[in-house]
Amino acid sequence: MTPDVRDEARRADRPARAESRDEGGGGPRSAIAEADWDRALRLISAADEVALSCHVTPDGDALGSMLAVGFALRSLGKRVAASFGDRHFAVPRLLRFLPGQDLLVPPEEFPAEPALMITFDSSTFERLGLLRANTAAAREVIVVDHHPSNEGFGTLSLIDSTAAATAVLAEQLIYRLGGRLDRDIATCLYAGLVTDTGSFRHSSTTPAVHQMAARLVATGLRTDEIARELWDRSPFSYLKVLAGALERVMLEDGLVWTYVTRVDRAAYGLPYSEVEGIIDIVRRTDEAEVAVVLKEDDQGAWQVSTRSKGAVDVGAVCVALGGGGHHNAAGYTSHDSVEETMAAFRRELGKA
């Protein structure tokens, strides 16, 4: 990185950290101490190989952040193995446009006992899926995340709950490593940024978020193409499954909810990853403050997605039920029936 670019990176980092505060102003600055950043850089510098992981069924922020840092590490001469712990290892269709997928290896080829492992956007150890054993056996584990429910399951935490996306922290790490933005890295980071800010609609969208977006777009991104891949494409079978979910949707006392079974999906050959966006349709309901969608995965567990319009902290509700997330967007896993799952959710919602 040339001195002028390095200086600009430092300048860009300062406002990002200053703007990383609550909407009302006066919230805490970045929770990551400089000593922790420095230790992370020392660990990475000393490593010949770095193992990267993100949470199962990765979204744009998880996979984008991991691949962006993977690019930077490879440019530094590091060997990189990146993965996520899904039993049926496959990049979700919506994210197959992301560059850097040659860095990916299936869980069975991931280093069994990494000397250095970095996790991205995983709020809990359990969210690493099949890679939990690899994580437990790693000598050093750097946790990079922005979920407020993350208590730090690694040996070093780079966690900032005020960051709009894990991609924000990934960009800072890249700059601190002496890397620079190119179009491939920027594409990965931009996918993470727009995914977790709801295309800049969520309250986490600060001036610093737009400044970061400007840096990424300046590399030559086609933002229209990225938006089309993320939000404007779906197989016809998705419409059929969506129709079923909307047919059974329920509205009750400020709560709107529905569910999608694996039988629904199997009838049209629709993979689980394709139903992630149903929550964003259900949550539009004017009469509801909270939206919930239960999605049965291929193993028969219910993956529960929740959204709030601000008055209710669904993150706290989901933490109480064994999950995690943010104030307005969170989730958890249930192994009970639909009726039992919703009964438990209503009880915790009442407390919130």
Side-chain angles (χ1 to χ4, degrees), residues 145-189:
D145 189 25
H146 73 127
H147 291 95
S149 57
N150 195 320
E151 297 180 352
F153 52 83
T155 60
L156 175 61
S157 295
L158 300 180
I159 301 172
D160 184 356
S161 62
T162 67
T166 296
V168 173
L169 306 178
E171 187 202 30
Q172 292 184 16
L173 179 58
I174 289 167
Y175 280 142
R176 289 169 182 271
L177 287 169
R180 63 181 183 84
L181 296 179
D182 59 23
R183 189 159 62 178
D184 284 342
I185 290 176
T187 296
C188 294
L189 292 176

Side-chain angles (χ1 to χ4, degrees), residues 270-290:
L270 189 70
Y272 172 82
S273 61
E274 295 288 347
V275 299
E276 288 293 315
I278 291 179
I279 185 67
D280 293 316
I281 295 174
V282 174
R283 68 190 290 268
R284 299 176 187 176
T285 306
D286 284 339
E287 296 86 349
E289 170 63 30
V290 173

Side-chain angles (χ1 to χ4, degrees), residues 89-102:
F89 181 77
V91 173
R93 182 187 59 81
L94 294 176
L95 300 177
R96 290 176 188 167
F97 73 96
L98 289 178
Q101 294 184 40
D102 58 306

Side-chain angles (χ1 to χ4, degrees), residues 203 253-256 283 288-292 306-318 325-330 345-352:
S203 61
D253 193 23
L255 168 67
V256 61
R283 68 190 290 268
E289 170 63 30
V290 173
V292 177
T306 72
R307 297 291 186 271
S308 168
K309 292 177 180 174
V312 176
D313 184 356
V314 291
V317 174
C318 290
H326 304 280
H327 186 285
N328 293 341
F345 182 83
R346 292 186 195 96
R347 286 195 296 272
E348 293 301 328
L349 185 62
K351 298 176 185 177

